[in-house]
Amino acid sequence: MRSHLLNGLTAEHYRRSVTEGVERVAAKLAATERPFTGVAVDELSPRVDAIDLDRPLGDTAAVLDELEDVYLKDAVYFHHPRYLAHLNCPVVIPAVLGEAVLSAVNSSLDTWDQSAGGTLIERKLIDWTTARIGLGPAADGVFTSGGSQSNLQALLLAREEAKSEGLGKLRIFASEAGHFSVQKSAKLLGLGPDAVVTVPVDRDKRMQTVVLARELERCQAEGLVPMAVVATAGTTDFGSIDPLPEIAELCDRHGAWMHVDAAYGCGLLASRKYRHRIDGIERADSVTVDYHKSFFQPVSSSALLVRDAATLRHATYHAEYLNPRRAVRERIPNQVDKSLQTTRRFDALKLWLTLRVMGADGIGELFDEVCDLAVQGWHLLAADPRYDVVVEPSLSTLVFRYIPAAVTDPAEVDRANLHARKALFASGDAVVAGTKVGGRHYLKFTLLNPETTPSDIAAVLDLIAGHAEQYLGESLDRAS
Ligand SMILES: *Cc1c(COP(=O)(O)O)cnc(C)c1O
């Protein structure tokens, strides 16, 4: 069994094994004709259930055959140009190479003595990101597992910085289009059930700062503490960007921590063309970025950046065995001092190889392409009488709804749209997402694949309309 341990003696076995796996995936990528097979849970789960984990196959080729059957064959493939659903990107090759390297070396980024150069690479990428944001000379940050964790840590720092006698008095302001991790974080941080004040959005799905101003006034008038304002730079549904400079002013005036959730919009940090859309981000106290959304990185790759490195001390605990206090005096860089996690992947390596191979412009241009594609898609939808489209895109999402001319009952229209999404998924021809707007069911394209063309969008719109029409036809039959 020792032949399966990765070490100097097994280097050849390692090379063969990984190459075999890579060959299979490469063949799969080349042959995939649809983003999904449409497999149903009931069809797939018996295949997984039938496998006896206590009877290993031993042989890599046999295991890869089995994996083909239970996973690779029916996986949802984000690289396919007709995968248009969630905030998942196709990944860039240098980052996948990074993934292979980081798993094999298996550095853990918690302490210098488990990572050495990895620590310095992560720190340099943090500095690179804070410089792109413009957070100033005292900035710092740390890689995290994702935007949810970044938001949690940001709000932890904000809570600790807020001077308040009781957790029940703290208030967080976020728009109604903000991410649910803000609510979850408030709960985890022990704040009261009313802690998150939801601010309405305007027609373009941006936070209404007039209402924010009023809510902040009211909060203070009631003797409560405005702990933080979460501005979203790229809402998950609409890609809308809250008015960052105005929010920064209000945060200054009320002494509130300004957190910018740029989990999605961070791709603009690499864009020459559209960087100005997130102007004002440099005034944040903290920023969430998800490289695994708009930097074309594999899951996971995310970071929390802060204006003032000293605020990261709220996440610092010392353990004698790991990161003793004296290490700080000896200036040994232990990243665990800044992190909610302890053992932590060297995800930074993926971004490092990406920047070293492609450069920031390379990433920015890919993101520009999908933003431009979204505008083309918007024009298609706006000109198509079969569809109602919600907002002109600021990033790369489109939210729309099939509206049959002959049907006036909005609940029936809801059902037609829900049916179309499900039927499309079951066909595997394309994958789209859905959401609710004003209580009604809508469909959503999240465009993150520069390989997707306007004709793919047009073709998927025809498929959706076909499924919706079929449903409405059948429902007429049912009624008569
Ligand atoms: C995706 C997203 C998050 C959560 O990030 P994860 O990486 O999925 O944890 C937070 N905020 C926004 C705006 C997002 O789009």
Side-chain angles (χ1 to χ4, degrees), residues 87 146-148 151 179 181 232 234 236 261 263-264 290 292-293:
L87 271 165
S148 303
N151 284 348
H179 194 260
S181 55
T232 311
T236 315
D261 179 357
Y264 176 15
D290 261 358
H292 64 217
K293 282 181 180 161

PDB file of all heavy atoms in Angstrom, residues 87 146-148 151 179 181 232 234 236 261 263-264 290 292-293, ligand 1:
ATOM      1  N   LEU A  87     -22.926  31.715 -10.960  1.00  0.00           N
ATOM      2  CA  LEU A  87     -21.650  32.434 -11.022  1.00  0.00           C
ATOM      3  C   LEU A  87     -20.470  31.469 -11.046  1.00  0.00           C
ATOM      4  O   LEU A  87     -19.622  31.488 -10.156  1.00  0.00           O
ATOM      5  CB  LEU A  87     -21.547  33.369  -9.819  1.00  0.00           C
ATOM      6  CG  LEU A  87     -22.119  34.778 -10.032  1.00  0.00           C
ATOM      7  CD1 LEU A  87     -22.305  35.492  -8.704  1.00  0.00           C
ATOM      8  CD2 LEU A  87     -21.189  35.596 -10.925  1.00  0.00           C
ATOM      9  N   GLY A 146     -14.005  31.522   0.280  1.00  0.00           N
ATOM     10  CA  GLY A 146     -15.049  32.030  -0.607  1.00  0.00           C
ATOM     11  C   GLY A 146     -15.618  33.329  -0.082  1.00  0.00           C
ATOM     12  O   GLY A 146     -15.256  33.798   1.005  1.00  0.00           O
ATOM     13  N   GLY A 147     -16.515  33.888  -0.874  1.00  0.00           N
ATOM     14  CA  GLY A 147     -17.101  35.177  -0.525  1.00  0.00           C
ATOM     15  C   GLY A 147     -17.870  35.145   0.791  1.00  0.00           C
ATOM     16  O   GLY A 147     -17.889  36.131   1.526  1.00  0.00           O
ATOM     17  N   SER A 148     -18.499  34.025   1.079  1.00  0.00           N
ATOM     18  CA  SER A 148     -19.275  33.947   2.317  1.00  0.00           C
ATOM     19  C   SER A 148     -18.349  34.082   3.524  1.00  0.00           C
ATOM     20  O   SER A 148     -18.655  34.795   4.480  1.00  0.00           O
ATOM     21  CB  SER A 148     -20.031  32.620   2.398  1.00  0.00           C
ATOM     22  OG  SER A 148     -20.853  32.470   1.265  1.00  0.00           O
ATOM     23  N   ASN A 151     -17.047  37.687   3.735  1.00  0.00           N
ATOM     24  CA  ASN A 151     -18.049  38.592   4.314  1.00  0.00           C
ATOM     25  C   ASN A 151     -18.163  38.386   5.821  1.00  0.00           C
ATOM     26  O   ASN A 151     -18.282  39.350   6.588  1.00  0.00           O
ATOM     27  CB  ASN A 151     -19.416  38.369   3.655  1.00  0.00           C
ATOM     28  CG  ASN A 151     -19.490  38.980   2.258  1.00  0.00           C
ATOM     29  OD1 ASN A 151     -18.620  39.753   1.862  1.00  0.00           O
ATOM     30  ND2 ASN A 151     -20.518  38.638   1.513  1.00  0.00           N
ATOM     31  N   HIS A 179     -26.120  39.880  -0.705  1.00  0.00           N
ATOM     32  CA  HIS A 179     -25.981  38.424  -0.616  1.00  0.00           C
ATOM     33  C   HIS A 179     -26.449  37.900   0.745  1.00  0.00           C
ATOM     34  O   HIS A 179     -26.222  38.545   1.766  1.00  0.00           O
ATOM     35  CB  HIS A 179     -24.521  38.039  -0.826  1.00  0.00           C
ATOM     36  CG  HIS A 179     -24.328  36.579  -1.094  1.00  0.00           C
ATOM     37  ND1 HIS A 179     -23.931  35.692  -0.117  1.00  0.00           N
ATOM     38  CD2 HIS A 179     -24.503  35.858  -2.229  1.00  0.00           C
ATOM     39  CE1 HIS A 179     -23.848  34.475  -0.648  1.00  0.00           C
ATOM     40  NE2 HIS A 179     -24.181  34.553  -1.919  1.00  0.00           N
ATOM     41  N   SER A 181     -25.277  35.832   2.652  1.00  0.00           N
ATOM     42  CA  SER A 181     -24.224  35.577   3.640  1.00  0.00           C
ATOM     43  C   SER A 181     -24.131  36.724   4.658  1.00  0.00           C
ATOM     44  O   SER A 181     -23.578  36.532   5.746  1.00  0.00           O
ATOM     45  CB  SER A 181     -22.873  35.352   2.955  1.00  0.00           C
ATOM     46  OG  SER A 181     -22.551  36.431   2.111  1.00  0.00           O
ATOM     47  N   THR A 232     -22.754  46.368  -2.264  1.00  0.00           N
ATOM     48  CA  THR A 232     -22.474  45.242  -3.157  1.00  0.00           C
ATOM     49  C   THR A 232     -21.989  45.771  -4.506  1.00  0.00           C
ATOM     50  O   THR A 232     -22.671  46.572  -5.140  1.00  0.00           O
ATOM     51  CB  THR A 232     -23.730  44.362  -3.337  1.00  0.00           C
ATOM     52  OG1 THR A 232     -24.279  44.084  -2.045  1.00  0.00           O
ATOM     53  CG2 THR A 232     -23.380  43.059  -4.023  1.00  0.00           C
ATOM     54  N   GLY A 234     -21.645  44.423  -7.653  1.00  0.00           N
ATOM     55  CA  GLY A 234     -21.993  43.264  -8.468  1.00  0.00           C
ATOM     56  C   GLY A 234     -22.923  42.358  -7.690  1.00  0.00           C
ATOM     57  O   GLY A 234     -22.475  41.407  -7.046  1.00  0.00           O
ATOM     58  N   THR A 236     -25.522  39.417  -6.972  1.00  0.00           N
ATOM     59  CA  THR A 236     -25.505  38.066  -7.522  1.00  0.00           C
ATOM     60  C   THR A 236     -26.539  37.921  -8.641  1.00  0.00           C
ATOM     61  O   THR A 236     -26.272  37.288  -9.657  1.00  0.00           O
ATOM     62  CB  THR A 236     -25.786  37.057  -6.396  1.00  0.00           C
ATOM     63  OG1 THR A 236     -24.978  37.440  -5.276  1.00  0.00           O
ATOM     64  CG2 THR A 236     -25.459  35.653  -6.804  1.00  0.00           C
ATOM     65  N   ASP A 261     -18.798  44.246  -0.888  1.00  0.00           N
ATOM     66  CA  ASP A 261     -18.849  42.864  -1.321  1.00  0.00           C
ATOM     67  C   ASP A 261     -18.696  42.848  -2.845  1.00  0.00           C
ATOM     68  O   ASP A 261     -19.659  43.025  -3.592  1.00  0.00           O
ATOM     69  CB  ASP A 261     -20.184  42.245  -0.886  1.00  0.00           C
ATOM     70  CG  ASP A 261     -20.318  40.792  -1.334  1.00  0.00           C
ATOM     71  OD1 ASP A 261     -19.408  40.290  -2.032  1.00  0.00           O
ATOM     72  OD2 ASP A 261     -21.345  40.160  -0.987  1.00  0.00           O
ATOM     73  N   ALA A 263     -17.558  40.245  -4.526  1.00  0.00           N
ATOM     74  CA  ALA A 263     -17.345  38.832  -4.865  1.00  0.00           C
ATOM     75  C   ALA A 263     -17.456  38.629  -6.381  1.00  0.00           C
ATOM     76  O   ALA A 263     -16.670  37.895  -6.974  1.00  0.00           O
ATOM     77  CB  ALA A 263     -18.360  37.948  -4.138  1.00  0.00           C
ATOM     78  N   TYR A 264     -18.392  39.306  -6.971  1.00  0.00           N
ATOM     79  CA  TYR A 264     -18.630  39.160  -8.418  1.00  0.00           C
ATOM     80  C   TYR A 264     -17.920  40.269  -9.202  1.00  0.00           C
ATOM     81  O   TYR A 264     -17.200  39.998 -10.169  1.00  0.00           O
ATOM     82  CB  TYR A 264     -20.146  39.166  -8.622  1.00  0.00           C
ATOM     83  CG  TYR A 264     -20.676  39.116 -10.031  1.00  0.00           C
ATOM     84  CD1 TYR A 264     -19.893  38.763 -11.131  1.00  0.00           C
ATOM     85  CD2 TYR A 264     -22.021  39.408 -10.258  1.00  0.00           C
ATOM     86  CE1 TYR A 264     -20.438  38.720 -12.409  1.00  0.00           C
ATOM     87  CE2 TYR A 264     -22.567  39.359 -11.531  1.00  0.00           C
ATOM     88  CZ  TYR A 264     -21.766  39.030 -12.605  1.00  0.00           C
ATOM     89  OH  TYR A 264     -22.322  38.995 -13.859  1.00  0.00           O
ATOM     90  N   ASP A 290     -13.904  37.461  -4.990  1.00  0.00           N
ATOM     91  CA  ASP A 290     -13.938  36.031  -5.325  1.00  0.00           C
ATOM     92  C   ASP A 290     -13.213  35.850  -6.642  1.00  0.00           C
ATOM     93  O   ASP A 290     -13.799  36.066  -7.708  1.00  0.00           O
ATOM     94  CB  ASP A 290     -15.390  35.546  -5.489  1.00  0.00           C
ATOM     95  CG  ASP A 290     -15.928  34.835  -4.253  1.00  0.00           C
ATOM     96  OD1 ASP A 290     -15.170  34.671  -3.276  1.00  0.00           O
ATOM     97  OD2 ASP A 290     -17.107  34.439  -4.280  1.00  0.00           O
ATOM     98  N   HIS A 292     -12.603  33.152  -7.765  1.00  0.00           N
ATOM     99  CA  HIS A 292     -13.245  32.004  -8.427  1.00  0.00           C
ATOM    100  C   HIS A 292     -14.551  32.382  -9.133  1.00  0.00           C
ATOM    101  O   HIS A 292     -15.237  31.519  -9.650  1.00  0.00           O
ATOM    102  CB  HIS A 292     -13.411  30.797  -7.481  1.00  0.00           C
ATOM    103  CG  HIS A 292     -14.304  30.986  -6.294  1.00  0.00           C
ATOM    104  ND1 HIS A 292     -14.021  30.423  -5.060  1.00  0.00           N
ATOM    105  CD2 HIS A 292     -15.458  31.658  -6.112  1.00  0.00           C
ATOM    106  CE1 HIS A 292     -14.968  30.731  -4.200  1.00  0.00           C
ATOM    107  NE2 HIS A 292     -15.849  31.479  -4.807  1.00  0.00           N
ATOM    108  N   LYS A 293     -14.869  33.647  -9.157  1.00  0.00           N
ATOM    109  CA  LYS A 293     -16.015  34.061  -9.959  1.00  0.00           C
ATOM    110  C   LYS A 293     -15.586  34.825 -11.211  1.00  0.00           C
ATOM    111  O   LYS A 293     -15.943  34.440 -12.299  1.00  0.00           O
ATOM    112  CB  LYS A 293     -16.975  34.891  -9.121  1.00  0.00           C
ATOM    113  CG  LYS A 293     -17.819  34.018  -8.217  1.00  0.00           C
ATOM    114  CD  LYS A 293     -18.778  34.811  -7.413  1.00  0.00           C
ATOM    115  CE  LYS A 293     -19.612  33.914  -6.521  1.00  0.00           C
ATOM    116  NZ  LYS A 293     -20.221  34.689  -5.433  1.00  0.00           N
TER     117      LYS A 293
HETATM  118  C1  LIG B   1     -21.212  34.481  -4.665  1.00  0.00           C
HETATM  119  C2  LIG B   1     -21.368  35.644  -3.795  1.00  0.00           C
HETATM  120  C3  LIG B   1     -21.036  35.572  -2.436  1.00  0.00           C
HETATM  121  C4  LIG B   1     -20.654  34.268  -1.772  1.00  0.00           C
HETATM  122  O1  LIG B   1     -19.443  33.792  -2.241  1.00  0.00           O
HETATM  123  P1  LIG B   1     -19.063  32.245  -2.146  1.00  0.00           P
HETATM  124  O2  LIG B   1     -17.713  32.224  -2.752  1.00  0.00           O
HETATM  125  O3  LIG B   1     -20.099  31.504  -2.926  1.00  0.00           O
HETATM  126  O4  LIG B   1     -19.079  31.878  -0.702  1.00  0.00           O
HETATM  127  C5  LIG B   1     -21.117  36.724  -1.689  1.00  0.00           C
HETATM  128  N1  LIG B   1     -21.531  37.885  -2.251  1.00  0.00           N
HETATM  129  C6  LIG B   1     -21.871  37.981  -3.539  1.00  0.00           C
HETATM  130  C7  LIG B   1     -22.323  39.299  -4.082  1.00  0.00           C
HETATM  131  C8  LIG B   1     -21.807  36.865  -4.365  1.00  0.00           C
HETATM  132  O5  LIG B   1     -22.171  36.951  -5.645  1.00  0.00           O
END
